[in-house]
mmCIF file of all heavy atoms in Angstrom:
data_model
loop_
_atom_site.group_PDB
_atom_site.id
_atom_site.type_symbol
_atom_site.label_atom_id
_atom_site.label_comp_id
_atom_site.label_asym_id
_atom_site.label_seq_id
_atom_site.Cartn_x
_atom_site.Cartn_y
_atom_site.Cartn_z
ATOM 1 N N TYR M 4 100.214 -23.279 263.732
ATOM 2 C CA TYR M 4 99.279 -24.062 263.025
ATOM 3 C C TYR M 4 99.315 -25.478 263.665
ATOM 4 O O TYR M 4 100.315 -25.976 264.029
ATOM 5 C CB TYR M 4 99.745 -24.179 261.521
ATOM 6 C CG TYR M 4 98.891 -25.110 260.742
ATOM 7 C CD1 TYR M 4 97.593 -24.698 260.230
ATOM 8 C CD2 TYR M 4 99.334 -26.494 260.372
ATOM 9 C CE1 TYR M 4 96.828 -25.571 259.522
ATOM 10 C CE2 TYR M 4 98.488 -27.288 259.677
ATOM 11 C CZ TYR M 4 97.269 -26.850 259.203
ATOM 12 O OH TYR M 4 96.493 -27.699 258.449
ATOM 13 N N ASP M 5 98.053 -26.052 263.710
ATOM 14 C CA ASP M 5 97.914 -27.372 264.428
ATOM 15 C C ASP M 5 98.293 -28.500 263.496
ATOM 16 O O ASP M 5 97.450 -28.987 262.755
ATOM 17 C CB ASP M 5 96.475 -27.519 264.876
ATOM 18 C CG ASP M 5 96.210 -28.734 265.729
ATOM 19 O OD1 ASP M 5 97.200 -29.507 265.960
ATOM 20 O OD2 ASP M 5 95.099 -28.916 266.208
ATOM 21 N N ILE M 6 99.514 -28.938 263.524
ATOM 22 C CA ILE M 6 99.942 -29.974 262.719
ATOM 23 C C ILE M 6 99.559 -31.402 263.123
ATOM 24 O O ILE M 6 99.796 -32.430 262.516
ATOM 25 C CB ILE M 6 101.485 -30.072 262.499
ATOM 26 C CG1 ILE M 6 102.150 -30.154 263.855
ATOM 27 C CG2 ILE M 6 101.966 -28.799 261.692
ATOM 28 C CD1 ILE M 6 103.694 -30.202 263.777
ATOM 29 N N ARG M 7 98.825 -31.542 264.289
ATOM 30 C CA ARG M 7 98.245 -32.828 264.708
ATOM 31 C C ARG M 7 96.878 -32.983 264.082
ATOM 32 O O ARG M 7 96.386 -34.181 264.091
ATOM 33 C CB ARG M 7 98.128 -32.849 266.241
ATOM 34 C CG ARG M 7 99.517 -32.958 266.885
ATOM 35 C CD ARG M 7 99.444 -32.996 268.306
ATOM 36 N NE ARG M 7 100.815 -33.148 268.938
ATOM 37 C CZ ARG M 7 101.733 -32.355 269.031
ATOM 38 N NH1 ARG M 7 101.506 -31.103 268.559
ATOM 39 N NH2 ARG M 7 102.900 -32.636 269.519
ATOM 40 N N HIS M 8 96.242 -31.932 263.664
ATOM 41 C CA HIS M 8 94.880 -31.934 263.032
ATOM 42 C C HIS M 8 94.951 -31.164 261.718
ATOM 43 O O HIS M 8 94.568 -29.928 261.721
ATOM 44 C CB HIS M 8 93.839 -31.526 263.980
ATOM 45 C CG HIS M 8 93.738 -32.334 265.270
ATOM 46 N ND1 HIS M 8 94.455 -31.787 266.348
ATOM 47 C CD2 HIS M 8 93.198 -33.483 265.524
ATOM 48 C CE1 HIS M 8 94.357 -32.723 267.340
ATOM 49 N NE2 HIS M 8 93.497 -33.660 266.929
ATOM 50 N N TRP M 9 95.361 -31.749 260.603
ATOM 51 C CA TRP M 9 95.552 -31.067 259.409
ATOM 52 C C TRP M 9 94.287 -30.530 258.835
ATOM 53 O O TRP M 9 93.439 -31.381 258.381
ATOM 54 C CB TRP M 9 96.350 -31.876 258.394
ATOM 55 C CG TRP M 9 97.753 -32.239 258.841
ATOM 56 C CD1 TRP M 9 98.176 -33.158 259.623
ATOM 57 C CD2 TRP M 9 98.949 -31.490 258.539
ATOM 58 N NE1 TRP M 9 99.529 -33.239 259.775
ATOM 59 C CE2 TRP M 9 100.085 -32.124 259.225
ATOM 60 C CE3 TRP M 9 99.263 -30.278 257.854
ATOM 61 C CZ2 TRP M 9 101.354 -31.658 259.160
ATOM 62 C CZ3 TRP M 9 100.591 -29.828 257.768
ATOM 63 C CH2 TRP M 9 101.695 -30.539 258.360
ATOM 64 N N ASP M 10 94.015 -29.258 258.797
ATOM 65 C CA ASP M 10 92.894 -28.658 258.102
ATOM 66 C C ASP M 10 93.315 -27.960 256.846
ATOM 67 O O ASP M 10 94.075 -27.009 256.816
ATOM 68 C CB ASP M 10 92.235 -27.662 259.045
ATOM 69 C CG ASP M 10 90.982 -27.037 258.265
ATOM 70 O OD1 ASP M 10 90.008 -27.739 258.292
ATOM 71 O OD2 ASP M 10 91.177 -25.824 257.868
ATOM 72 N N MET M 11 92.951 -28.568 255.727
ATOM 73 C CA MET M 11 93.548 -28.128 254.389
ATOM 74 C C MET M 11 93.142 -26.737 254.104
ATOM 75 O O MET M 11 93.734 -26.066 253.390
ATOM 76 C CB MET M 11 93.147 -29.099 253.279
ATOM 77 C CG MET M 11 93.723 -30.476 253.581
ATOM 78 S SD MET M 11 95.590 -30.354 253.604
ATOM 79 C CE MET M 11 96.017 -32.019 254.324
ATOM 80 N N ALA M 12 91.821 -26.405 254.497
ATOM 81 C CA ALA M 12 91.331 -25.006 254.253
ATOM 82 C C ALA M 12 92.295 -24.017 254.883
ATOM 83 O O ALA M 12 92.522 -22.899 254.317
ATOM 84 C CB ALA M 12 89.921 -24.921 254.621
ATOM 85 N N THR M 13 92.708 -24.282 256.212
ATOM 86 C CA THR M 13 93.526 -23.434 256.838
ATOM 87 C C THR M 13 94.971 -23.482 256.348
ATOM 88 O O THR M 13 95.657 -22.458 256.344
ATOM 89 C CB THR M 13 93.504 -23.788 258.312
ATOM 90 O OG1 THR M 13 92.180 -23.788 258.884
ATOM 91 C CG2 THR M 13 94.267 -22.727 259.149
ATOM 92 N N LEU M 14 95.341 -24.558 255.873
ATOM 93 C CA LEU M 14 96.757 -24.755 255.394
ATOM 94 C C LEU M 14 96.932 -24.046 253.990
ATOM 95 O O LEU M 14 98.066 -23.569 253.800
ATOM 96 C CB LEU M 14 97.057 -26.236 255.203
ATOM 97 C CG LEU M 14 98.395 -26.613 254.612
ATOM 98 C CD1 LEU M 14 99.514 -26.258 255.616
ATOM 99 C CD2 LEU M 14 98.470 -28.034 254.178
ATOM 100 N N LEU M 15 95.895 -23.975 253.244
ATOM 101 C CA LEU M 15 96.119 -23.410 251.885
ATOM 102 C C LEU M 15 96.617 -21.963 251.846
ATOM 103 O O LEU M 15 97.658 -21.716 251.085
ATOM 104 C CB LEU M 15 94.681 -23.483 251.122
ATOM 105 C CG LEU M 15 94.821 -23.048 249.709
ATOM 106 C CD1 LEU M 15 95.747 -23.983 248.916
ATOM 107 C CD2 LEU M 15 93.462 -23.033 248.992
ATOM 108 N N PRO M 16 96.134 -21.067 252.635
ATOM 109 C CA PRO M 16 96.813 -19.719 252.506
ATOM 110 C C PRO M 16 98.252 -19.672 252.999
ATOM 111 O O PRO M 16 98.994 -18.973 252.526
ATOM 112 C CB PRO M 16 95.862 -18.859 253.391
ATOM 113 C CG PRO M 16 95.023 -19.805 254.268
ATOM 114 C CD PRO M 16 94.925 -21.067 253.425
ATOM 115 N N LEU M 17 98.487 -20.525 254.013
ATOM 116 C CA LEU M 17 99.905 -20.629 254.490
ATOM 117 C C LEU M 17 100.801 -21.237 253.423
ATOM 118 O O LEU M 17 101.980 -20.738 253.153
ATOM 119 C CB LEU M 17 99.952 -21.518 255.736
ATOM 120 C CG LEU M 17 99.381 -21.055 257.035
ATOM 121 C CD1 LEU M 17 99.404 -22.063 258.124
ATOM 122 C CD2 LEU M 17 99.994 -19.751 257.557
ATOM 123 N N LEU M 18 100.279 -22.197 252.672
ATOM 124 C CA LEU M 18 101.026 -22.890 251.571
ATOM 125 C C LEU M 18 101.218 -21.862 250.447
ATOM 126 O O LEU M 18 102.305 -21.743 249.911
ATOM 127 C CB LEU M 18 100.260 -24.057 251.077
ATOM 128 C CG LEU M 18 100.824 -24.762 249.804
ATOM 129 C CD1 LEU M 18 102.276 -25.238 250.147
ATOM 130 C CD2 LEU M 18 99.906 -25.968 249.484
ATOM 131 N N GLU M 19 100.131 -21.099 250.059
ATOM 132 C CA GLU M 19 100.342 -20.080 248.997
ATOM 133 C C GLU M 19 101.331 -19.135 249.342
ATOM 134 O O GLU M 19 102.163 -18.659 248.451
ATOM 135 C CB GLU M 19 98.963 -19.437 248.696
ATOM 136 C CG GLU M 19 97.944 -20.336 248.033
ATOM 137 C CD GLU M 19 96.730 -19.498 247.488
ATOM 138 O OE1 GLU M 19 96.962 -18.604 246.707
ATOM 139 O OE2 GLU M 19 95.637 -19.862 247.810
ATOM 140 N N TYR M 20 101.318 -18.534 250.529
ATOM 141 C CA TYR M 20 102.326 -17.592 251.045
ATOM 142 C C TYR M 20 103.697 -18.164 250.855
ATOM 143 O O TYR M 20 104.637 -17.514 250.414
ATOM 144 C CB TYR M 20 102.015 -17.170 252.427
ATOM 145 C CG TYR M 20 102.725 -15.882 252.915
ATOM 146 C CD1 TYR M 20 102.211 -14.677 252.921
ATOM 147 C CD2 TYR M 20 104.136 -16.133 253.307
ATOM 148 C CE1 TYR M 20 102.956 -13.599 253.417
ATOM 149 C CE2 TYR M 20 104.872 -14.986 253.679
ATOM 150 C CZ TYR M 20 104.301 -13.770 253.764
ATOM 151 O OH TYR M 20 104.955 -12.677 254.162
ATOM 152 N N SER M 21 103.858 -19.390 251.354
ATOM 153 C CA SER M 21 105.075 -20.089 251.328
ATOM 154 C C SER M 21 105.707 -20.203 249.962
ATOM 155 O O SER M 21 106.847 -19.912 249.618
ATOM 156 C CB SER M 21 105.005 -21.385 252.007
ATOM 157 O OG SER M 21 106.330 -22.015 252.198
ATOM 158 N N VAL M 22 104.837 -20.776 248.993
ATOM 159 C CA VAL M 22 105.243 -20.903 247.638
ATOM 160 C C VAL M 22 105.650 -19.564 246.969
ATOM 161 O O VAL M 22 106.655 -19.414 246.219
ATOM 162 C CB VAL M 22 104.186 -21.628 246.730
ATOM 163 C CG1 VAL M 22 104.392 -21.444 245.284
ATOM 164 C CG2 VAL M 22 103.930 -23.016 247.234
ATOM 165 N N ASN M 23 104.884 -18.467 247.378
ATOM 166 C CA ASN M 23 105.257 -17.152 246.837
ATOM 167 C C ASN M 23 106.488 -16.566 247.362
ATOM 168 O O ASN M 23 107.201 -15.817 246.669
ATOM 169 C CB ASN M 23 104.055 -16.255 247.039
ATOM 170 C CG ASN M 23 102.895 -16.482 246.116
ATOM 171 O OD1 ASN M 23 103.093 -16.920 244.987
ATOM 172 N ND2 ASN M 23 101.690 -16.253 246.559
ATOM 173 N N VAL M 24 106.879 -16.981 248.578
ATOM 174 C CA VAL M 24 108.269 -16.579 249.089
ATOM 175 C C VAL M 24 109.322 -17.142 248.206
ATOM 176 O O VAL M 24 110.191 -16.454 247.836
ATOM 177 C CB VAL M 24 108.447 -17.125 250.598
ATOM 178 C CG1 VAL M 24 109.895 -16.899 250.992
ATOM 179 C CG2 VAL M 24 107.561 -16.421 251.472
ATOM 180 N N LYS M 25 109.168 -18.426 247.849
ATOM 181 C CA LYS M 25 110.258 -19.060 246.882
ATOM 182 C C LYS M 25 110.063 -18.433 245.533
ATOM 183 O O LYS M 25 111.137 -18.141 244.918
ATOM 184 C CB LYS M 25 109.896 -20.504 246.909
ATOM 185 C CG LYS M 25 110.945 -21.216 245.957
ATOM 186 C CD LYS M 25 110.906 -22.804 246.017
ATOM 187 C CE LYS M 25 112.042 -23.380 245.257
ATOM 188 N NZ LYS M 25 112.053 -24.849 245.246
ATOM 189 N N ARG M 26 108.898 -18.225 245.050
ATOM 190 C CA ARG M 26 108.821 -17.613 243.704
ATOM 191 C C ARG M 26 109.430 -16.304 243.609
ATOM 192 O O ARG M 26 110.101 -15.946 242.618
ATOM 193 C CB ARG M 26 107.307 -17.548 243.264
ATOM 194 C CG ARG M 26 106.642 -18.912 243.035
ATOM 195 C CD ARG M 26 105.129 -18.728 242.747
ATOM 196 N NE ARG M 26 105.052 -18.230 241.338
ATOM 197 C CZ ARG M 26 103.918 -17.640 240.951
ATOM 198 N NH1 ARG M 26 102.847 -17.567 241.729
ATOM 199 N NH2 ARG M 26 103.895 -17.084 239.669
ATOM 200 N N ASP M 27 109.263 -15.507 244.630
ATOM 201 C CA ASP M 27 109.821 -14.200 244.572
ATOM 202 C C ASP M 27 111.348 -14.162 244.591
ATOM 203 O O ASP M 27 112.032 -13.428 243.921
ATOM 204 C CB ASP M 27 109.350 -13.385 245.874
ATOM 205 C CG ASP M 27 109.842 -11.935 245.846
ATOM 206 O OD1 ASP M 27 109.477 -11.214 244.865
ATOM 207 O OD2 ASP M 27 110.506 -11.485 246.876
ATOM 208 N N VAL M 28 111.929 -15.076 245.305
ATOM 209 C CA VAL M 28 113.382 -15.262 245.400
ATOM 210 C C VAL M 28 113.923 -15.768 243.977
ATOM 211 O O VAL M 28 114.904 -15.204 243.447
ATOM 212 C CB VAL M 28 113.802 -16.224 246.559
ATOM 213 C CG1 VAL M 28 115.294 -16.548 246.301
ATOM 214 C CG2 VAL M 28 113.498 -15.675 247.842
ATOM 215 N N VAL M 29 113.217 -16.714 243.419
ATOM 216 C CA VAL M 29 113.638 -17.277 242.169
ATOM 217 C C VAL M 29 113.488 -16.268 241.026
ATOM 218 O O VAL M 29 114.302 -16.152 240.105
ATOM 219 C CB VAL M 29 112.787 -18.588 241.810
ATOM 220 C CG1 VAL M 29 113.023 -18.996 240.404
ATOM 221 C CG2 VAL M 29 113.070 -19.621 242.745
ATOM 222 N N ARG M 30 112.428 -15.478 241.130
ATOM 223 C CA ARG M 30 112.205 -14.367 240.133
ATOM 224 C C ARG M 30 113.428 -13.443 240.228
ATOM 225 O O ARG M 30 113.871 -12.967 239.047
ATOM 226 C CB ARG M 30 110.948 -13.657 240.455
ATOM 227 C CG ARG M 30 110.562 -12.586 239.419
ATOM 228 C CD ARG M 30 109.337 -11.807 239.888
ATOM 229 N NE ARG M 30 108.152 -12.653 240.016
ATOM 230 C CZ ARG M 30 107.511 -12.935 241.122
ATOM 231 N NH1 ARG M 30 107.949 -12.253 242.261
ATOM 232 N NH2 ARG M 30 106.497 -13.727 241.244
ATOM 233 N N GLN M 31 113.914 -13.100 241.322
ATOM 234 C CA GLN M 31 115.031 -12.195 241.392
ATOM 235 C C GLN M 31 116.370 -12.776 241.103
ATOM 236 O O GLN M 31 117.289 -12.106 240.532
ATOM 237 C CB GLN M 31 115.195 -11.633 242.880
ATOM 238 C CG GLN M 31 113.895 -10.859 243.280
ATOM 239 C CD GLN M 31 114.105 -10.290 244.674
ATOM 240 O OE1 GLN M 31 114.943 -9.554 245.004
ATOM 241 N NE2 GLN M 31 113.160 -10.796 245.488
ATOM 242 N N ASP M 32 116.519 -14.115 241.265
ATOM 243 C CA ASP M 32 117.890 -14.739 240.951
ATOM 244 C C ASP M 32 117.693 -16.327 240.508
ATOM 245 O O ASP M 32 117.795 -17.112 241.208
ATOM 246 C CB ASP M 32 118.636 -14.782 242.257
ATOM 247 C CG ASP M 32 120.074 -15.458 242.179
ATOM 248 O OD1 ASP M 32 120.451 -15.608 240.947
ATOM 249 O OD2 ASP M 32 120.493 -15.931 243.215
ATOM 250 N N PRO M 33 117.121 -16.345 239.181
ATOM 251 C CA PRO M 33 116.795 -17.691 238.798
ATOM 252 C C PRO M 33 117.926 -18.748 238.718
ATOM 253 O O PRO M 33 117.604 -19.925 238.905
ATOM 254 C CB PRO M 33 116.245 -17.472 237.306
ATOM 255 C CG PRO M 33 116.868 -16.142 236.911
ATOM 256 C CD PRO M 33 116.955 -15.371 238.132
ATOM 257 N N PHE M 34 119.144 -18.365 238.598
ATOM 258 C CA PHE M 34 120.240 -19.309 238.411
ATOM 259 C C PHE M 34 121.222 -19.332 239.650
ATOM 260 O O PHE M 34 122.343 -19.779 239.565
ATOM 261 C CB PHE M 34 120.962 -18.965 237.147
ATOM 262 C CG PHE M 34 120.126 -19.092 235.837
ATOM 263 C CD1 PHE M 34 119.859 -17.963 235.272
ATOM 264 C CD2 PHE M 34 119.841 -20.298 235.473
ATOM 265 C CE1 PHE M 34 119.090 -18.125 234.054
ATOM 266 C CE2 PHE M 34 119.048 -20.436 234.311
ATOM 267 C CZ PHE M 34 118.668 -19.294 233.592
ATOM 268 N N GLU M 35 120.662 -18.848 240.765
ATOM 269 C CA GLU M 35 121.440 -18.981 241.975
ATOM 270 C C GLU M 35 122.701 -18.383 242.055
ATOM 271 O O GLU M 35 123.736 -19.016 242.451
ATOM 272 C CB GLU M 35 121.507 -20.498 242.429
ATOM 273 C CG GLU M 35 121.688 -20.595 243.964
ATOM 274 C CD GLU M 35 121.427 -22.211 244.331
ATOM 275 O OE1 GLU M 35 120.420 -22.719 244.132
ATOM 276 O OE2 GLU M 35 122.433 -22.741 244.925
ATOM 277 N N LYS M 36 122.783 -17.203 241.585
ATOM 278 C CA LYS M 36 124.089 -16.397 241.566
ATOM 279 C C LYS M 36 124.287 -15.699 242.851
ATOM 280 O O LYS M 36 125.373 -15.229 243.242
ATOM 281 C CB LYS M 36 124.138 -15.489 240.394
ATOM 282 C CG LYS M 36 123.996 -16.080 239.001
ATOM 283 C CD LYS M 36 125.119 -17.079 238.718
ATOM 284 C CE LYS M 36 125.052 -17.624 237.394
ATOM 285 N NZ LYS M 36 126.095 -18.643 237.103
ATOM 286 N N GLY M 37 123.196 -15.308 243.611
ATOM 287 C CA GLY M 37 123.182 -14.649 244.797
ATOM 288 C C GLY M 37 122.092 -15.007 245.773
ATOM 289 O O GLY M 37 122.159 -15.930 246.406
ATOM 290 N N LEU M 38 120.938 -14.170 245.692
ATOM 291 C CA LEU M 38 119.861 -14.196 246.644
ATOM 292 C C LEU M 38 119.283 -15.685 246.734
ATOM 293 O O LEU M 38 118.849 -16.088 247.763
ATOM 294 C CB LEU M 38 118.820 -13.252 246.268
ATOM 295 C CG LEU M 38 117.574 -13.246 247.142
ATOM 296 C CD1 LEU M 38 117.962 -12.891 248.619
ATOM 297 C CD2 LEU M 38 116.543 -12.265 246.599
ATOM 298 N N ARG M 39 119.150 -16.366 245.658
ATOM 299 C CA ARG M 39 118.569 -17.686 245.636
ATOM 300 C C ARG M 39 119.289 -18.676 246.589
ATOM 301 O O ARG M 39 118.670 -19.689 247.045
ATOM 302 C CB ARG M 39 118.492 -18.322 244.254
ATOM 303 C CG ARG M 39 117.646 -19.605 244.182
ATOM 304 C CD ARG M 39 117.307 -20.050 242.830
ATOM 305 N NE ARG M 39 116.632 -21.313 242.839
ATOM 306 C CZ ARG M 39 115.975 -21.849 241.900
ATOM 307 N NH1 ARG M 39 115.871 -21.209 240.730
ATOM 308 N NH2 ARG M 39 115.280 -22.979 241.904
ATOM 309 N N LYS M 40 120.540 -18.358 246.850
ATOM 310 C CA LYS M 40 121.286 -19.221 247.838
ATOM 311 C C LYS M 40 120.578 -19.194 249.215
ATOM 312 O O LYS M 40 120.785 -20.117 250.041
ATOM 313 C CB LYS M 40 122.648 -18.773 247.974
ATOM 314 C CG LYS M 40 123.478 -18.946 246.751
ATOM 315 C CD LYS M 40 124.933 -18.429 246.908
ATOM 316 C CE LYS M 40 125.826 -18.521 245.662
ATOM 317 N NZ LYS M 40 127.211 -17.997 245.885
ATOM 318 N N ALA M 41 119.757 -18.202 249.499
ATOM 319 C CA ALA M 41 119.030 -18.158 250.683
ATOM 320 C C ALA M 41 118.106 -19.430 250.928
ATOM 321 O O ALA M 41 117.784 -19.826 252.006
ATOM 322 C CB ALA M 41 118.104 -16.884 250.793
#
């Protein structure tokens, strides 16, 4: 991704994917007993 020329339309799907990576981990381990430590 071209971080010298931020295009928000191109960034949005990358951001959604990134947030969902975290949400999936938190869903499996909300209180950081195991996987959330990742």
